Amino acid sequence: MNHRLQDVLDGRESNYILPFLWQHGEDEQTIRQEIARVHEAGIGAVCVESRPHPDFLGPKWWEDMNVIMDEARNRGMKVWILDDDHFPTGHAGGRVKQAPAELHRKFLAERHIDTLGPATGASLLLEPILANGKHELISAVAVQRDSINGGLCGAAVDLTEFVQDGILYWDIPAGFWRVFVISVNPDGGSKKQKHYLNPLDRDSTRILIDTVYEAFFERYREDFGQTLAGFFSDEPGFYNDPETFDFDSKPGKPGVPLPWSRDMPGLLKRSLGPDYQQQLHLLWHDAGEASSKVRYAYMNAVSQLYADHFCSQIGDWCRERGVEYIGHVLEDNNIHARLAAGAGHFFRSMWGQDMSGLDVVLWQIVPGFDELPFRWKAGETDSEFFHYGLGKLGVSLSHMDPKKKGRTMCELYGAYGWTEGLKLMKWLTDHMLVRGVNHFVPHAFTQKAFPDPDHPPHMYASGKNPQYRYYKVLNQYINRISHLISGGRHVATAAVLYHAEAEWSGESMYFHKPVKELMQHQIDCDVVPVDVLLEGASVTSGKLHIHQEDYGCLIIPYAEALPVAMIQRLAQMAEQGLPVHFIDGLPRRSSEGVQVLAELSQLASDPSVNVSSLKGLAASLIKEGLFDIRAEGDLPYLRNYHYVHDDLHVFMFFNESPHQPVQTKIHLPVSGKLYAYDGFLNRLTRVDASQDMDGGSMAEIALSPYESVVWLNGDIVEGSVEAMPCPATESTIAVELNRVWTVSTSRAEKYPHFEAWGSLKDLCSMSGPDVLPRFSGTFRYETDVEWGETSDRVLLNLGEVYETAEVWVNGEHVGVRICPPYQLDVSRFLIKGNNCLIVEVTNTLVKEQRDNLSSFAQQEPSGLLGPVQLVVFK
């Protein structure tokens, strides 16, 4: 028996959950009680957030931390620390403001003046532009403009030497000219992050380490690597755009300063030449390929400095002291490859951490909105990115960076409002699990008295969350499935090139476009950055090998330009026999402007190179046999994940459609017996499988909306397998329970004490305007069922439920369901004659707490809607 499977069957799986625990300076008893609520929910760790605390790093803070550490030690829990007093990471507990000026944020800024010549003896007033000497002048250059369209034409003329005492003296030649003044200053960027560190400067980042990290090491060094597991950075980035969360912020955006540091001149001089200052205006102004070249050089430099001086420096500090460094940057709406709140390059920004990381908050992912934009707090989502790109970014990094050990963390559930309950949480969880995410940071537990308006939902909420008592059911499921998809190796047949460099240097197709096409055809893939392909990849027997992964092909989303080394590497890989699929055409040039005609010609003629349309990609790969799992039919919402241990294959399937069921035949690349693992019931059953024509296995799969299943193949002890239930193909009789239901209600703080409400002959939403529109809690439905049928298997199908259901038959507990399908096996509970049926249905707090975050989404009904049926298998 595989040891990980045995772990979950024996209840010995590891903990994969570390929820945020918000600190406000509460008393000791409150802190200990909230940690107890976390622990009793089946969670073995907390991630301590200081953001709301009034005395971070002060006496009260350390007093509270001592309580947290003591309670965690007593319970055998792990503690993670969010590493700053403000969101996002970078404030360094306010110490940056006191640091020397050279360690503060620096920005490259541009102003331009339009002139007309000829004009002998002209001068231009630069002193106000340079803030009366407070800004450092980098260069002043003039470029002639087209007299018809105003575009830049001709070479830049360096005028820097003609600037004296804030005045530029210049005899303007004939024609229209634009004079660009480039300077470095500390005053640009987002105002909220004014006193944040400069992540491009090693010494500036060190302020955060010295202030926060060293303070914890001084007090808890004996706990490092034991109770204290590590540190969490929350959305550090450049924040150079005054519009802090503008997701389209990149070089070329008018009026926006760009991140800068003392290392930048040397890097740009190396890539652009000794006259790089004369080219800096092209970061803002379009001059065709010349601008693309400069913008690529700039973004390449800042993203690498961020990786080296911020993320890797902190990660190295942690690893040297036996703890780990985790967290995430901002990825929203493709900003992972951009500036502002982004960090320029997802893979570089996360490489120094010990887990890959991402987050889902604020209605970024919504069932069914995988293509159409969804209106959220920050505007409208790029739904294709969130559904098809985000998760794949995270898990791909964990698959190829050895120090991450296959671990991907996702901050989840936060700021969806009280309308979010366990049903949506389970859907979001499966959305991540089926992509390979295996560590979760629920958002959040708060110790503040209810109602805390800070970005609900809150898991316990001072005992007011009526679904809290079922939260452990979800957490046990998370830990079990995460344990099965950890410690082994992921299987995928395709690698997709990460697009950041292409976006920096010309027209490009988002990487998630081909990822979507593959996922909708059950072809799994990883997203691979240029850096890894250049330094950590090899081609053997026509396959791309990276760390433990082997891919049958490499897919290149359309890119007008790619780095010259990447183009050369692609030609080499194709020559070595790796199938390379370009979408919509080959690149036209290199990002650096270096000539690559020979390499492009070689790619165009290589038999391993294929050029196809986006819509033809999946069909092309299927024709070439570049798939692992095959589903019969068109199933755009069926997701799949294949994970391998030495003696066990794990296959996860999830129906992401909120409305349409999935029923099809699945072909798997394994032979032998197949088993289904139920992560909620923690049980194994046999799957009725047969051998297909290719020597693999074939089995029927039927998934309701929201439903997932895990199939296993390998070393499994038959004694641990329960009797296989009757297959769904057998004949069934559905007996509808058209009964009068007695209904009573109970709020969370009074449960299990109920108050009589009345009776219902026809089931309906209990939150309708004429019923209980402001009630949040539990509805108890009771009825009698006369039963005389004979069958080995009877299912209770509750129909529509909103949204958690718990069932008793004749006083015996049957089970809990937190999402569709709301079906429970009642075979052993029914008796001939009269049976007492009780169904308790718990809604979310949104009916009572009508919060703003919940106003972004449609509200669901409440209660048991049915139809309720007993399904008899004959």
Side-chain angles (χ1 to χ4, degrees), residues 30 33 35 110 115 123 156 196 220 278 325 367 383 387 403 469 481 594 627 640 667 710 716 720 725 729 746 796 817:
T30 299
Q33 287 177 344
I35 295 176
E110 177 271 343
T115 65
S123 63
Y196 274 56
Y220 304 115
Q278 299 175 34
Y325 178 45
S383 294
H387 281 252
K403 67 177 169 292
R469 66 181 179 274
I481 304 302
V594 176
F627 59 88
N640 55 279
H667 297 259
V710 172
I716 295 176
S720 62
T729 53
S746 176
L796 174 65
R817 293 292 181 269

Side-chain angles (χ1 to χ4, degrees), residues 424-702:
L424 178 54
M425 288 181 182
K426 192 269 183 182
W427 188 97
L428 290 169
T429 300
D430 275 346
H431 176 99
M432 291 300 164
L433 285 169
V434 81
R435 286 158 174 79
V437 174
N438 52 12
H439 285 73
F440 294 85
V441 177
H443 184 308
F445 279 83
T446 179
Q447 295 162 178
K448 191 172 184 178
F450 181 85
D452 183 352
D454 191 353
H455 295 88
H458 306 129
M459 305 311 175
Y460 182 63
S462 303
K464 304 290 187 179
N465 185 347
Q467 291 192 357
Y468 169 76
R469 66 181 179 274
Y470 301 119
Y471 182 43
K472 185 175 183 178
V473 175
L474 176 61
N475 292 328
Q476 289 175 327
Y477 171 81
I478 290 174
N479 278 331
R480 290 164 181 164
I481 304 302
S482 295
H483 199 67
L484 290 176
I485 59 170
S486 298
R489 179 176 62 86
H490 163 244
V491 178
T493 54
V496 177
L497 181 68
Y498 180 61
H499 76 288
E501 289 86 350
E503 181 176 324
W504 302 340
S505 49
E507 295 296 321
S508 65
M509 172 187 288
Y510 287 136
F511 78 89
H512 58 256
K513 294 286 187 179
V515 171
K516 173 187 175 184
E517 182 70 11
L518 298 180
M519 289 179 69
Q520 291 192 338
H521 290 85
Q522 293 74 55
I523 301 174
D524 200 5
C525 65
D526 274 337
V527 183
V528 183
V530 169
D531 294 343
V532 169
L533 289 170
L534 293 180
E535 300 175 7
S538 61
V539 176
T540 306
S541 301
K543 286 192 173 184
L544 178 64
H545 178 73
I546 301 174
H547 190 35
Q548 295 182 320
E549 299 279 339
D550 289 296
Y551 311 101
C553 64
L554 176 60
I555 297 164
I556 314 298
Y558 176 73
E560 179 186 352
L562 286 173
V564 60
M566 187 69 250
I567 294 174
Q568 293 169 345
R569 185 76 173 113
L570 289 173
Q572 181 187 48
M573 288 178 166
E575 190 175 30
Q576 293 171 331
L578 176 68
V580 180
H581 290 254
F582 288 89
I583 309 299
D584 292 346
L586 273 65
R588 296 195 297 106
R589 56 183 175 82
S590 72
S591 302
E592 301 93 333
V594 176
Q595 192 62 257
V596 286
L597 289 178
E599 290 85 352
L600 292 176
S601 177
Q602 179 183 340
L603 283 167
S605 61
D606 195 299
S608 296
V609 172
N610 179 62
V611 178
S612 68
S613 66
L614 182 62
K615 287 300 180 183
L617 175 62
S620 179
L621 266 57
I622 291 171
K623 183 178 180 181
E624 296 177 32
L626 294 170
F627 59 88
D628 179 55
I629 293 166
R630 183 165 62 88
E632 297 184 4
D634 183 20
L635 302 162
Y637 287 103
L638 177 62
R639 304 286 173 258
N640 55 279
Y641 189 70
H642 183 187
Y643 200 77
V644 178
H645 300 279
D646 290 341
D647 51 1
L648 186 71
H649 288 264
V650 180
F651 300 94
M652 183 175 182
F653 299 94
F654 176 43
N655 179 10
E656 284 192 352
S657 170
H659 300 300
Q660 299 301 318
V662 166
Q663 185 161 358
T664 187
K665 291 181 179 179
I666 299 288
H667 297 259
L668 303 176
V670 295
S671 60
K673 295 178 181 179
L674 200 62
Y675 304 85
Y677 174 70
D678 187 320
F680 284 105
L681 300 179
N682 195 27
R683 72 178 185 186
L684 286 171
T685 55
R686 280 286 304 278
V687 175
D688 187 14
S690 60
Q691 184 173 328
D692 65 13
M693 296 179 60
D694 298 322
S697 298
M698 178 180 66
E700 294 269 357
I701 193 169

Side-chain angles (χ1 to χ4, degrees), residues 169-236:
Y169 299 94
W170 182 39
D171 293 336
I172 305 173
F176 293 92
W177 294 81
R178 178 162 286 178
V179 177
F180 298 95
V181 181
I182 309 297
S183 64
V184 171
N185 70 83
D187 301 326
S190 55
K191 292 182 179 179
K192 287 184 178 180
Q193 284 74 40
K194 181 178 180 180
H195 297 299
Y196 274 56
L197 60 80
N198 183 355
L200 303 182
D201 190 297
R202 188 171 187 82
D203 293 337
S204 185
T205 297
R206 187 70 208 192
I207 300 172
L208 176 65
I209 295 175
D210 291 342
T211 301
V212 179
Y213 288 72
E214 291 285 2
F216 276 90
F217 186 60
E218 178 184 347
R219 287 164 175 81
Y220 304 115
R221 69 175 63 206
E222 297 302 321
D223 290 295
F224 267 47
Q226 303 300 320
T227 300
L228 202 155
F231 295 85
F232 185 116
S233 282
D234 196 8
E235 297 185 7

